[in-house]
Amino acid sequence: MSEDALFIPKRESIKSSVGNVAANRRRQHAVTVGKERRESLVRAKRLCRVGTSGEDDNLPHDEGMVVDEELSNLETQTFSAVEELLSAVSYQGKGALQKRVTALRELRRLLSKSVFPPIETALGAGAIPILVQCLSFGSPDEQLHEAAWCLTNIAAGKPEETKALLPALPLLIAHLGEKSSLPVAEQCAWALGNVAGEGEELRKVLLSQGALQPLARMMLPNKGSTVRTAAWALSNLIKGPDPRAATDLIRVEGVLDAIIRHLKKADDELATEVAWVVVYLSALSNVATGMLVRSDVLQLLVERLATASSLQLLIPVLRGLDKVVEVLVKCLKSEHREAAWVLSNIAAGSIEHKQLIYSSEAVPLLARLLTTAPLDIRKEVAYVLGNLCVAPTGDDGKPTLIVEHLVSLVGGGSLSGFIELVRSADTEAAKLGLQFMELVLRGMPNREGPKLVEQEDGIEAMERFQFHENEDLRNMANGLVDQYFGEDYGLDE
């Protein structure tokens, strides 16, 4: 939501605060959504314990705290493993290949063993240059796979550890090609997905080095595990905020057909990964959104959503919204935050989109959730209801109220719910409440807004911000009190 207040002429109205930044919210969500799913299967980064060939590291995984002695031993073993790998790479005698593979395998086992892998030790011992050397063209697949696996787990580390992979990126990308074996290509895709998950800076590096096209081609076949890893890596690579990667991806020949095919036939795990690619495509690229809504993707997602136990397949699309709203209403009844989030994006669209939600059974449900749901859901609901009350900005740049919607929501009891948000310690929630109060004060017919706010103890709710530490909230609340409840308030009566 915009940081702009609502009551001073230099600032923009709630339409700009809620509606016009819907695209920005989608883009911000696209950038940050990976953080929200770190605890689920789909994470921004993934430590690889079982390789793409199905081999386990065969070591116990320490999920608890690592005591100092264990950590010291692990670091010592890791340093020795890097030293042994350096020796193995230099060795040219009989059994040289097996010696290198054995050393690589030992290093990646150590990098897979703990919930806190000894990445820093490996980097300090000089692992990256040796692993890059092991990725050289002409190397056996087993060696390539083990080296890529080591790099995958290093890339799952802290930001500075992930950045250490910069020298390896060109070779990792090169091994995505059709001449590489599937396990090698998939493991390289996994490593690149971890790198892309680190942030915009590394995504730009990967895109400039040509990672998008080969990853996109890996989505085309019907090879479940490979497609799943490629889709996950792509979702990290295109998630913005720059929309160009999303536009480039949807224009790759065969990608849209592959998305449709996987959504139709794939298991839920693969379909979810593919759906996340669709999420970022629709959030970031108008070109991609246009192509998606002209295809069967919407219907496929709605069908998946209607039978899914989670909302990971949910996206804000622009056609067939009656079906989407119908499904979202069902999800709202179970208090799904994501359902309210998507409705807020739809409500920020055209008058037709707003009318579709307003005329559905979503509105009374939203009004109830505004007062009964947990705070995170109440905030998303507030975005929806706020968006329903303002029309898209006209040619003059001035947004207008949809008075019918505002009157209906206030008559249905929503004002009290927004005033409760004003009383919240959550600054975003308080700002949402103040913004809706501004609409009521400014827009209710017959100048009834101030009376309605006063009846709900809204003046008291705003006065708590008189000396608030948050300058925006303080100025907004004090300005509303001064403007609508100043010295002249009530004199006309």
Side-chain angles (χ1 to χ4, degrees):
M1 179 179 244
S2 169
E3 294 297 316
D4 294 346
L6 305 174
F7 56 91
I8 25 181
K10 291 183 180 180
R11 299 186 188 268
E12 300 174 333
S13 74
I14 197 168
K15 172 55 189 173
S16 181
S17 297
V18 175
N20 280 353
V21 297
N24 288 336
R25 286 195 75 220
R26 288 194 295 269
R27 289 173 184 173
Q28 290 167 4
H29 183 77
V31 172
T32 62
V33 73
K35 298 177 182 177
E36 298 179 3
R37 43 186 182 135
R38 281 185 182 273
E39 299 305 318
S40 66
L41 177 64
V42 191
R43 297 185 297 176
K45 290 186 177 184
R46 294 174 174 171
L47 191 67
C48 180
R49 299 196 188 278
V50 179
T52 55
S53 61
E55 182 185 352
D56 198 332
D57 55 27
N58 293 320
L59 286 174
H61 303 150
D62 302 327
E63 298 299 340
M65 294 183 62
V66 180
V67 300
D68 290 344
E69 183 178 356
E70 292 174 338
L71 180 59
S72 177
N73 289 338
L74 189 59
E75 290 174 346
T76 300
Q77 292 170 15
T78 301
F79 188 88
S80 298
V82 176
E83 290 289 307
E84 179 62 28
L85 177 59
L86 178 60
S87 173
V89 169
S90 302
Y91 180 70
Q92 299 295 325
K94 183 178 180 181
L97 170 59
Q98 189 56 47
K99 190 176 179 66
R100 288 195 301 272
V101 171
T102 300
L104 283 165
R105 184 176 292 121
E106 177 61 20
L107 177 59
R108 62 90 168 164
R109 284 178 173 176
L110 292 167
L111 291 171
S112 306
K113 181 179 179 182
S114 172
V115 71
F116 301 109
I119 298 173
E120 184 177 357
T121 300
L123 294 178
I128 294 296
I130 310 173
L131 292 171
V132 171
Q133 187 174 347
C134 290
L135 283 177
S136 60
F137 279 100
S139 300
D141 284 349
E142 192 175 10
Q143 175 178 314
L144 294 172
H145 184 257
E146 292 288 352
W149 192 341
C150 291
L151 290 167
T152 297
N153 285 353
I154 292 174
K158 300 174 184 177
E160 61 273 17
E161 294 167 347
T162 305
K163 290 179 181 179
L165 262 72
L166 282 170
L169 298 185
L171 280 171
L172 288 170
I173 294 171
H175 285 301
L176 299 176
E178 296 177 356
K179 294 182 179 180
S180 299
S181 69
L182 283 180
V184 169
E186 184 178 347
Q187 196 65 63
C188 289
W190 194 331
L192 294 170
N194 277 343
V195 173
E198 182 51 52
E200 183 182 3
E201 179 184 351
L202 287 177
R203 285 195 288 273
K204 287 181 178 179
V205 173
L206 290 173
L207 290 168
S208 68
Q209 294 185 1
L212 183 70
Q213 287 279 345
L215 282 173
R217 286 193 292 270
M218 288 178 68
M219 275 191 64
L220 303 186
N222 293 320
K223 297 172 181 176
S225 173
T226 303
V227 175
R228 187 170 62 246
T229 301
W232 166 76
L234 280 168
S235 69
N236 274 348
L237 186 61
I238 69 170
K239 65 182 179 182
D242 191 330
R244 286 177 292 183
T247 300
D248 290 343
L249 175 59
I250 200 65
R251 285 174 169 164
V252 174
E253 184 178 358
V255 162
L256 181 56
D257 291 339
I259 289 173
I260 294 171
R261 186 174 68 253
H262 297 318
L263 289 177
K264 280 182 178 178
K265 299 180 179 181
D267 57 49
D268 284 347
E269 189 176 354
L270 174 54
T272 296
E273 296 288 7
V274 173
W276 274 111
V277 174
V278 177
V279 168
Y280 295 122
L281 288 172
S282 65
L284 292 163
S285 169
N286 291 332
V287 173
T289 299
M291 295 175 68
L292 290 168
V293 300
R294 290 192 295 271
S295 69
D296 295 332
V297 168
L298 170 66
Q299 182 61 36
L300 291 169
L301 286 172
V302 169
E303 291 172 358
R304 286 262 182 186
L305 178 61
T307 58
S309 59
S310 72
L311 292 187
Q312 291 190 5
L313 304 179
L314 206 58
I315 63 167
V317 286
L318 304 178
R319 191 179 73 172
L321 290 179
D322 53 341
K323 297 177 182 178
V324 174
V325 170
E326 180 181 343
V327 174
L328 292 175
V329 169
K330 294 179 181 178
C331 296
L332 275 176
K333 293 178 180 178
S334 300
E335 297 190 356
H336 279 294
R337 176 180 175 271
E338 295 93 335
W341 180 83
V342 175
L343 277 174
S344 72
N345 281 335
I346 297 172
S350 67
I351 292 293
E352 291 76 16
H353 293 167
K354 299 173 191 293
Q355 188 61 39
L356 178 63
I357 296 175
Y358 177 74
S359 60
S360 74
E361 60 176 308
V363 172
L365 179 57
L366 289 164
R368 178 177 63 80
L369 291 174
L370 186 63
T371 59
T372 62
L375 181 60
D376 60 336
I377 297 176
R378 288 163 55 203
K379 288 194 294 184
E380 294 300 335
V381 167
Y383 277 115
V384 183
L385 297 177
N387 282 333
L388 289 179
C389 294
V390 283
T393 304
D395 296 336
D396 59 358
K398 296 180 179 180
T400 56
L401 280 166
I402 305 177
V403 177
E404 176 189 359
H405 292 185
L406 179 64
V407 170
S408 176
L409 292 179
V410 172
S414 292
L415 178 57
S416 62
F418 277 99
I419 291 177
E420 282 303 309
L421 289 179
V422 174
R423 295 189 177 100
S424 169
D426 186 289
T427 56
E428 181 185 14
K431 182 171 286 189
L432 283 164
L434 288 171
Q435 287 177 318
F436 189 82
M437 287 173 67
E438 192 276 341
L439 292 182
V440 173
L441 292 167
R442 170 165 57 95
M444 287 297 289
N446 303 319
R447 300 172 64 184
E448 290 186 355
K451 297 178 183 177
L452 293 170
V453 169
E454 183 180 19
Q455 290 170 7
E456 297 289 346
D457 293 329
I459 300 176
E460 176 271 330
M462 288 187 288
E463 285 181 339
R464 66 185 291 270
F465 293 100
Q466 185 174 1
F467 303 105
H468 198 275
E469 61 183 10
N470 186 294
E471 183 179 2
D472 287 340
L473 294 179
R474 184 174 68 246
N475 291 340
M476 188 185 304
N478 291 341
L480 290 175
V481 171
D482 291 344
Q483 181 175 350
Y484 292 100
F485 302 99
E487 295 180 358
D488 296 334
Y489 176 62
L491 292 182
D492 57 343
E493 299 178 357

